[in-house]
Amino acid sequence: MAAEATRRPRSVTLAVVLVMLGTFVAATTATGPREAAALVLLLVAACFWFAVRAGRGRRGARTTVTCLTGAVLVLAAVFAFEDELYGGATLLLGAALAVPGVVLLYVPAAEEYVRARETLRPREGSGA
């Protein structure tokens, strides 16, 4: 029973893939100054890291990836509208991928998975 409860739902796997694709696509619009591009690259790398951790059932990582995805989309929006040809469409595609991915991290099946993973994880400071 415990192994069945901790099996990752397909919605969580799909959510991780969508968040990664969406943030990467949205980040491609941030072709502004070198400092901004470096910041977006750092945010995308952190978003990838926390998306993988959220896929493993970490509640804090799920919250962090939600915030980072929003930050990437907001920061990319600043640069997306400077490119009249493809910027807005690319940002819209990134958001169309990333936002449903974030939502899938909070569906009931994902919530059950996170709860089950938390009960199996030893508490910090318990000496186990």
Side-chain angles (χ1 to χ4, degrees):
M1 180 73 178
E4 187 67 32
T6 59
R7 181 172 289 159
R8 184 183 335 186
R10 287 185 179 170
S11 62
V12 173
T13 304
L14 179 62
V16 170
V17 170
L18 286 175
V19 166
M20 288 178 158
L21 283 174
T23 55
F24 178 74
V25 169
T28 61
T29 63
T31 57
R34 177 167 280 189
E35 295 81 21
L39 176 62
V40 170
L41 181 63
L42 180 68
L43 285 174
V44 168
C47 195
F48 279 20
W49 171 258
F50 284 106
V52 169
R53 305 271 301 162
R56 293 181 182 163
R58 307 287 183 160
R59 186 176 302 277
R62 188 172 62 164
T63 305
T64 304
V65 80
T66 302
C67 296
L68 285 173
T69 301
V72 168
L73 291 175
V74 168
L75 190 59
V78 173
F79 299 104
F81 298 116
E82 290 178 3
D83 180 11
E84 298 86 21
L85 191 55
Y86 296 115
T90 304
L91 179 65
L92 186 61
L93 175 63
L97 291 169
V99 172
V102 168
V103 169
L104 283 174
L105 288 173
Y106 292 93
V107 296
E111 185 64 34
E112 287 177 28
Y113 172 66
V114 169
R115 266 196 228 120
R117 295 285 297 185
E118 282 181 343
T119 59
L120 292 177
R121 208 173 302 126
R123 300 283 180 217
E124 291 184 24
S126 66

